[in-house]
Amino acid sequence: MAHRAVALFSGGLDSTIAILVMLKQKIEVTAITFLTHFGCDISDRSSCSKDPFPIAGRFGFDLKLFHLGERFVEIVKNPNYGHGRNMNPCIDCRVLMLREAKTLMEMIGADFVITGEVLGQRPMSQKKNTLDLIAKETGLKGLLLRPLSAKLLPITIPETKGIVDREKLLSISGRSRKIQTTLAHEFGLTDFPTPSSGCLLTDPIYSRRLKDLLKYTPDPDFNDLNLLKIGRHFRPSEGCKIIVGRNKEENLRLSKMKGKNDILMDVRGTGSPLVLLKGEDSRRFIDLSASLCARYSDLKINPEVSVTLMDGDDETVIKIMPADQDTIEKYRIN
């Protein structure tokens, strides 16, 4: 009878190597890739979000996608184990993902769960005592195998049962990925992402924007969270935000994310950002938004700029002086 493991799979180097080590031991693998509102986009090249399907297809393991949805938003807002340096609730995140993996393990009759975690690689969630805490918290004590660091960790049930050969597992620790890179070449992996800090919640700029959003909008919707990823953000009041596109792609995204009561503006006939003005009291800040639009357009050196406002089906043009640096610093979300 074939044995099976459920794997947490980001598409990154570590989780890929962990799966390949299991496949080499004739363990069937069902991988699960988790998606969230905070940047784990499988079309992205970051280490937390590389498209997992090509590798799954090449090496012949099953892959399932699962969106953590509002449950993940809630742990970002109120993590039991706190945030990291920014808004990353790393321990709570791992617990949530592994609880889902445990459910899948039980559903498909798998023997255990594996991850690509490496002892000491990440300061918050991959210390020895934290790895043990996570295993206990998820009900996976003895059933959670970390193949890359297994020889440095307590023996697990699949090892004691002879399902997995402990001698063929690894003893990697620390932040260096030299061993993983060597193994990748041995396995024939030629296209794997450069390690990065992970999801957007570890990014200080994004985290500041998220803190600001949660302060004034405790229950943000999907659109609110997506807007945090693009543009320059300004907060003129508790009930209003201004978002200024930085390039053609962001302008297009802002145009698609306009709400029913939002206002868009730009400077016609020249290089210009698209500016999105949103919020309950947004109409109080039309002049401020227009001045920011003028300031970031190619006509910013002009004493006065004509800015077009798109409010529903109505278009109007106002002439405005471009915002000065003091205005930018006063309202920018830092």
Side-chain angles (χ1 to χ4, degrees):
M1 176 182 173
H3 293 285
R4 178 182 292 181
V6 169
L8 266 58
F9 184 48
S10 68
L13 179 58
D14 292 338
S15 60
T16 302
I17 295 294
I19 290 173
L20 295 181
V21 168
M22 289 295 96
L23 293 177
K24 196 172 182 180
Q25 293 204 34
K26 308 302 181 185
I27 304 294
E28 293 181 1
V29 173
T30 296
I32 181 168
T33 295
F34 291 100
L35 308 176
T36 78
H37 292 314
F38 300 100
C40 288
D41 176 356
I42 62 173
S43 66
D44 195 296
R45 285 286 299 174
S46 75
S47 68
C48 85
S49 19
K50 179 177 169 60
D51 182 353
F53 285 100
I55 290 178
R58 178 181 173 188
F59 291 98
F61 57 88
D62 294 333
L63 175 65
K64 300 181 182 298
L65 298 181
F66 187 85
H67 203 295
L68 293 171
E70 294 305 313
R71 286 180 299 162
F72 192 78
V73 176
E74 288 304 312
I75 69 166
V76 170
K77 290 160 63 174
N78 298 294
N80 291 326
Y81 295 99
H83 294 103
R85 184 175 298 177
N86 295 296
M87 286 293 284
N88 46 309
C90 294
I91 297 174
D92 293 82
C93 173
R94 214 63 180 172
V95 168
L96 177 60
M97 290 180 178
L98 284 166
R99 282 176 176 164
E100 294 299 329
K102 180 175 182 285
T103 299
L104 178 61
M105 177 190 77
E106 293 166 348
M107 286 176 58
I108 66 175
D111 299 279
F112 58 101
V113 173
I114 69 166
T115 76
E117 291 167 297
V118 173
L119 181 64
Q121 187 179 91
R122 298 200 184 277
M124 186 174 184
S125 62
Q126 294 179 11
K127 297 182 291 188
K128 203 163 190 172
N129 61 333
T130 307
L131 293 177
D132 187 52
L133 168 69
I134 291 170
K136 290 178 181 177
E137 187 74 14
T138 56
L140 285 168
K141 184 72 173 176
L143 294 173
L144 180 53
L145 177 65
R146 284 103 170 183
L148 302 189
S149 296
K151 289 184 177 179
L152 303 175
L153 299 170
I155 193 166
T156 60
I157 292 171
E159 295 168 83
T160 59
K161 287 185 174 181
I163 297 172
V164 173
D165 185 348
R166 185 174 177 86
E167 291 307 309
K168 294 179 181 178
L169 300 177
L170 302 165
S171 55
I172 303 173
S173 65
R175 300 179 66 85
S176 172
R177 283 182 167 85
K178 289 181 180 179
I179 298 175
Q180 292 96 309
T181 301
T182 299
L183 288 168
H185 293 302
E186 291 177 4
F187 281 118
L189 283 172
T190 56
D191 180 29
F192 50 85
T194 301
S196 73
S197 60
C199 74
L200 283 171
L201 295 170
T202 65
D203 180 80
I205 295 174
Y206 183 89
S207 294
R208 287 195 292 270
R209 293 178 179 183
L210 180 58
K211 286 178 183 178
D212 170 84
L213 176 66
L214 294 176
K215 180 178 180 180
Y216 299 111
T217 310
D219 296 305
D221 60 25
F222 183 62
N223 200 55
D224 291 326
L225 294 169
N226 264 347
L227 280 169
L228 297 179
K229 303 175 187 178
I230 58 176
R232 301 175 178 91
H233 288 238
F234 299 85
R235 171 72 68 181
S237 74
E238 292 184 7
C240 179
K241 273 191 77 174
I242 303 167
I243 303 164
V244 181
R246 292 175 292 192
N247 52 48
K248 184 177 179 179
E249 179 186 353
E250 289 191 346
N251 285 351
L252 179 61
R253 291 176 68 184
L254 283 174
S255 69
K256 292 180 177 179
M257 298 170 80
K258 177 185 179 298
K260 181 180 178 181
N261 298 315
D262 298 343
I263 299 173
L264 285 173
M265 55 188 72
D266 65 358
V267 180
R268 301 287 166 84
T270 189
S272 170
L274 196 64
V275 174
L276 178 65
L277 173 61
K278 61 188 284 98
E280 294 176 0
D281 57 347
S282 58
R283 276 152 182 76
R284 287 175 50 204
F285 300 102
I286 285 175
D287 284 355
L288 172 61
S289 301
S291 73
L292 289 168
C293 185
R295 169 63 178 77
Y296 287 105
S297 78
D298 287 351
L299 299 182
K300 59 180 175 287
I301 62 172
N302 291 8
E304 193 174 66
V305 177
S306 295
V307 177
T308 300
L309 276 63
M310 293 156 277
D311 187 359
D313 295 327
D314 298 328
E315 281 195 7
T316 57
V317 177
I318 63 172
K319 292 186 176 182
I320 198 84
M321 182 173 65
D324 58 23
Q325 193 61 34
D326 287 344
T327 300
I328 290 172
E329 295 302 328
K330 179 178 180 181
Y331 296 110
R332 183 165 57 191
I333 298 172
N334 292 315

